[in-house]
Every structure is written in structure tokens, then in C-alpha cells.
Amino acid sequence: MSGRKSAGNAAKRIVKDALFAAIALVIFVVEAQIPPLVPIPGVKLGLANIVTVWVLMRVGAKDAFGVMLTRVVIGGIFSGRIVFSLAGGLFSFLAVLILKRFITDRQIFVAGVVGAIFHNAGQLAAAVVIYRSPSVLVYAPVLVLSAVATGLLTGLTAQFLAQRLRVPGE
Amino acid sequence: MIKTRTWIIIIAVIAAVAAAAAIAVRFFLPAGTTAEIVKDGKVLYRIDLDRVTEEYKIEIGDEDGDRNTVTVRPGMIAVTAADCPDKICVAAGWASGERPYPIVCMPHRLTVRITSGDAGADAEAR
Amino acid sequence: MDTYMSVRTYGTDAGDQVKAEAARLETLFSVTDKDSEISALNRDGEVKASADTLKLVGESLRISRATGGALDVTVYPAVRAWGFTTGENRVPSKEELAKITEKIGYEGVRIEKGTIRIPKGAGVDLGAVAKGYLSDRAAAILKENGVSSALIDLGGNIGALGSRPDGSPWRIAVRDPAGDGSVGTVEASDLFVVTSGGYERYFNDASGRRIWHIIDPATASPADSGLLSATVVGKSGTTADGLSTAVFVMGEERAVGLWRETRDFEMILVTSGGEIVITDGLKDAFTREEDSGYTLRIVS
């Protein structure tokens, strides 16, 4: 009896996570259509992270990791060069995972900021290694600033949604 | 638990430090007038922008078919055409002694940067 | 024709035409392309060739005669035997090398009424002169387009058309065969600068000896003349390219002897004894790199 039930739960979980991943992907692709705000590689709104942060805070770490990974890999088909998104995604995921213990539901916006900062840090680190040109580090301060700004935006949005939305079947 | 107000202060401090760093970087960037065109980690060209009298272009291609066009004008340099997907390098505009930010074309592993080094040779026979 | 190609032009898009020409010549000369004229020549022993191929082969033979066979485009069987074409490096036996030496010989190449013929068993590879030929073609195309100042860089084969925008000569560094920097810089206007060196392609044999891809046609083995690199500065890209290979094979003494006869080119030799030897025509144009660790000697 319990075997049937947990199989059902596992299936539900996969469906939910797939749904989250799909939403993240759509946001990602739509955002990619917007021309880059600033001609510095890596500065983007990172709106898709709203989903990742929300899932991490509301559902669980494993689910969030899966959503992030899926979005990065499939998103890579559209934008190429998966390495950067992956580095950024991993860095930010780990950072927010550790941060989770230290923030309450009313402080989810902090996760947005931290996630964005570490996402850009990961991308920048990957860029330095791959392009063998430490010149790109020049952009670090600007990337941190933009991460704070966009992170606040995505973090506050995730927080708002976390307080209003309920996961189906919770 | 950390108070929300504390978090806000922390974030504000980070932002302030980053802003200060951004300004500092501007001052400390090796702002000379020598442009370097670097492909795959190798310096292809060093150009003394001060000694340029008329505009010229440099086509950089490689065996993968990647193409970038660099245009050099007196005192400035830019990537004016590229067949990479995002063309961030083209949107970056003109780099110069006053605006010494590096121009990067990531997919093509090309960097155009301003340094204070000696212009040196135009090419290397090897 | 390997690696990258970059062409600096002024106000025109002649760069595209040069790229197109490079592709066209590749289809004629490439030994790896089965449909090229050279491949047909190697396969059938003869080929009715187009103007460019005839011109390049003819010019190679002229350089062969002038250098006593130090440049020899029929050295291909030896290049193959040492594994440089397949990447499977090996050391051929003495018997094998003796047999291969018999197949080498530019004298056996005949050009008659637009057809090139080679003896049975021979193989032609224009690799030592093809880039030089392309650089000549590139300079011609640029001139046709009204370009009076350009720097052509074909994977290290340099063509300096005119002078730099500010009127000063183009500055071309010469690679240090033993390291990452340069041995010096040569100033040039309307000249071609080509370097041949063992450091470009080589492998190490069982005893750690370096085996490079520049083969001495007389021995069918890597050239061993005491030079680490040879740079030729001349008015023709094809000649500079061919001569740089020949000089590397000939070594200092024979090369200086040739230079004294004609004095229609200049050279920069880097010897295994730690010297940079330059011909006196370059005495004002060449600037030795301070930290390179080589001593400079001028021959006249």
C-alpha cells in the first residue's frame, strides 16, 4: 500500500518540478529576446531565477536543483555556451542553499540578491578560465551592482509569490 | 535569526563597496593608449592608438569560420562586425584611453583591451 | 593552410576576396583534399594543371635549382614516412629511408604544355610554398582594390604591403624558436617575411631527440644543419616561403653562400649555438630583443 502511494507521490513530484522547470524556461527564453541591457557579458535580469528561488524556499533543495539544472541545460540550446549558465547556476544554488537557514519567509528577497551575486560570480569565474583573459574581472564591481539590483527585483517577486501562491496539492 | 533590517544594511554595504570598486577600477585600469587584440589567449596585434592617423579595419577569422571585424580610428578601437549569436562585442562600442573597458566576444574567444604597454610589433613571423 | 588568417585593410572589404582566394587555392594545392590538382598528380602521375598550380610548381623548381635541391617539393614521401601527415609519428628504418631517397628528386618533375608529370612513386606537396603564394595573391588582390597599406598574416607568413598608417615601416617580430617571445623585430615595407623552424611541428623519439617536419631532401630525414629557425625577407612571398625552408635545410654556410651570389633577399638565422645571424642588408632594419639571450652577428 505505501509502495503505491510513494510511487504516486514521486510521479506528482516529477510533474510539479517539470512544471516549474518549464515556467523557468519560458521566462528565460522570453527574457533572452530582450536585447542585452548593457554590453557586458552576463548582465541580464535573471528573471528565471524567480522560479528557482521560489522552489527552493517553498518546495525543497532537490527540486530546486533539478529545476535549475533543467533550465540551464535546455536553455543552453537556445543561447549556447552552457558552461557559463551552469557555473552561475551552481554557484548561486549553493549560496542560496546555505543562506536558507539564515532567512525567514519575509526575507526571501535576500536570497534573490545573494543568488544573483553568486550567479554572476560563477559566470565571471568561468569566463576568466575559459577565455584566459583576466581582463574580464574589470567588470566584477559592475556585475555585483547589477546583481544587487536585479536580485532585489527577482527576490521580492519570489517573496511575494511565496506568500500568495500555494503549491497545488499542498 | 538575523533581523530584516540587518539584511538590508548588509546589502546596502555590498552595493556601496561595489560602487566604490567600480569607480576605483576606472581610475586604476591600465589606461594607456595601446590596444591589444587577443584571440585564444594570444596577442595578435598591439596598436598604438595615438599614432593612428586614419581609420582602418582588421578582419579576424579562424578555422571554425568565426569572424570579427575590428575597426581602428585615431585614439579608439571597436568591434564593428561579428558573426557570433549575441553580438555583445559589437554593442560594446568604442574603447579608448578614456574608456578603457575591454571588449569581449566570448563565443569567438576574442578580447580587445586597452593597456599601457609598448606598442611593439604589428605581427609576428613564425 | 592552417590556423587563422587576418588581413588588415583600409576602407575596403578586400579581406573577403582574400579569403575567397585562399579557399580557391586550397582546392588546387591541398594534399589532403582528394579532388585537388596535387592529389590527382600524386595519384595518377600527371595532371593537366591550372595556371596557379603551374606557376607555383614552376617557381618551386626554380628555387630548387637555385638552392641545390634544399627546397624540394617532391619530399612528400619522406614527410609521410615520418608520420607528419597522419599524426602517427614514427622513425623509419635506414632501409626505408634509402628507398625513399630514391623517390625524391625535383629533377624528375616535368612541366609540358600545361601538364605536370612526376615519376612513378614520387609525391608532391606544396606545403612549403603554398602560403607564400597565397600571400602574393593576397597582396595583388589588395592592390587591385586600391589598398596601399596592409599587413597580411597567414598563420605566421607575413606580407607587409606599403607602410603603417603613420608612414613608418611595418614592424614584424621574429619568433624565438626556443621560447614564447621574439628574438627581435624587423622593419619592412612592401616585403614578405617568412620563418621556417623546427619548433612548429615536431615529436620526440624514444631517446628524446626532437624530430621536426622540415625534411632534408638529400637524406629524407629531418634537416640537421645547426639552425633552430630561418627567416627570409624578400620581395616575393612565394620565394621567401620557399627560401626559408631551403635555408633551414642548408644551414648557415651554404645559405650565406647563396645570399652572396644574388643578394636579392635578406635573412635572419637563429642557430643552435645561441646566435642570431643577420645579413647586412638588415643591419638597420633589425632590432634585437634585449632579453632574448642571443648574441647578434652580422654577415656581409
Side-chain angles (χ1 to χ4, degrees), chain C residues 154-167:
Chain C
L154 303 173
N157 267 42
I158 311 294
L161 181 62
S163 302
R164 295 171 90 227
D166 58 10

Side-chain angles (χ1 to χ4, degrees), chain C residues 31 77 240:
Chain C
V31 278

Side-chain angles (χ1 to χ4, degrees), chain C:
Chain C
M1 285 181 260
D2 59 0
T3 14
Y4 70 88
M5 192 178 93
S6 71
V7 179
R8 197 189 275 199
T9 59
Y10 290 75
T12 77
D13 289 313
D16 282 333
Q17 293 182 44
V18 172
K19 287 217 145 169
E21 181 73 351
R24 186 182 72 87
L25 292 178
E26 179 89 7
T27 63
L28 296 176
F29 302 154
S30 168
V31 278
T32 48
D33 177 358
K34 284 196 292 288
D35 301 319
S36 75
E37 290 184 356
I38 295 300
S39 290
L41 176 63
N42 289 336
R43 200 173 44 233
D44 308 323
E46 69 171 52
V47 70
K48 188 135 181 30
S50 52
D52 292 290
T53 313
L54 292 171
K55 197 158 168 222
L56 186 52
V57 174
E59 181 62 17
S60 315
L61 295 177
R62 189 193 66 79
I63 300 175
S64 292
R65 284 191 289 269
T67 61
L71 169 76
D72 194 325
V73 293
T74 65
V75 81
Y76 190 46
V79 174
R80 267 206 306 257
W82 289 88
F84 285 107
T85 49
T86 54
E88 289 158 24
N89 302 311
R90 52 188 289 275
V91 178
S93 66
K94 281 203 175 29
E95 295 80 32
E96 204 184 333
L97 288 174
K99 283 208 197 85
I100 291 173
T101 334
E102 281 161 38
K103 295 188 197 163
I104 299 175
Y106 69 91
E107 303 93 337
V109 180
R110 298 245 175 280
I111 303 182
E112 254 157 50
K113 293 197 184 77
T115 300
I116 308 175
R117 285 191 186 84
I118 56 176
K120 198 164 180 320
V124 165
D125 179 7
L126 296 177
V129 287
K131 271 197 241 178
Y133 188 78
L134 173 59
S135 66
D136 278 330
R137 287 292 305 137
I141 290 171
L142 292 174
K143 280 203 196 116
E144 276 162 34
N145 278 270
V147 176
S148 59
S149 171
L151 191 62
I152 301 162
D153 182 346
L154 303 173
N157 267 42
I158 311 294
L161 181 62
S163 302
R164 295 171 90 227
D166 58 10
S168 60
W170 291 105
R171 300 197 291 249
I172 296 142
V174 177
R175 181 70 176 246
D176 181 348
D180 260 343
S182 70
V183 295
T185 309
V186 65
E187 291 186 343
S189 298
D190 283 317
L191 287 171
F192 293 84
V193 181
V194 184
T195 304
S196 284
Y199 61 90
E200 294 172 282
R201 266 170 80 192
Y202 65 88
F203 63 91
N204 291 322
D205 72 4
S207 56
R209 194 170 51 120
R210 199 179 270 202
I211 312 274
W212 47 59
H213 74 297
I214 303 180
I215 306 287
D216 183 342
T219 63
S221 305
D224 187 12
S225 64
L227 294 180
L228 297 179
S229 81
T231 302
V232 170
V233 180
K235 291 205 185 339
S236 145
T238 313
T239 310
D241 201 358
L243 275 182
S244 70
T245 304
V247 166
F248 186 82
V249 169
M250 289 161 93
E252 184 188 334
E253 214 180 302
R254 276 174 70 191
V256 172
L258 173 67
W259 171 72
R260 287 191 180 127
E261 274 171 42
T262 60
R263 292 189 190 250
D264 61 2
F265 64 93
E266 303 291 337
M267 6 178 237
I268 301 160
L269 311 176
V270 181
T271 71
S272 52
E275 282 185 300
I276 304 169
V277 180
I278 65 172
T279 47
D280 70 5
L282 290 178
K283 124 168 133 265
D284 297 318
F286 182 78
T287 314
R288 187 181 69 97
E289 179 68 36
E290 290 303 314
D291 311 315
S292 64
Y294 293 94
T295 49
L296 182 66
R297 178 159 55 85
I298 305 176
V299 297
S300 48

Side-chain angles (χ1 to χ4, degrees), chain A residues 81 84 127 130-133, chain B residues 37-42 44 60-66 68 84 103-112:
Chain A
R81 296 279 152 158
F84 294 101
I130 291 182
Y131 298 122
R132 291 181 276 177
S133 175
Chain B
I37 302 179
V38 184
K39 172 102 181 169
D40 284 310
K42 226 178 157 311
L44 290 192
I60 316 237
D62 67 21
E63 49 194 2
D64 298 325
D66 300 338
N68 292 85
C84 55
I103 303 168
V104 181
C105 181
M106 287 201 181
H108 295 174
R109 305 167 306 284
L110 177 77
T111 306
V112 177

Side-chain angles (χ1 to χ4, degrees), chain A residues 123-136:
Chain A
Q123 288 188 311
L124 202 58
V128 170
V129 168
I130 291 182
Y131 298 122
R132 291 181 276 177
S133 175
S135 309
V136 278

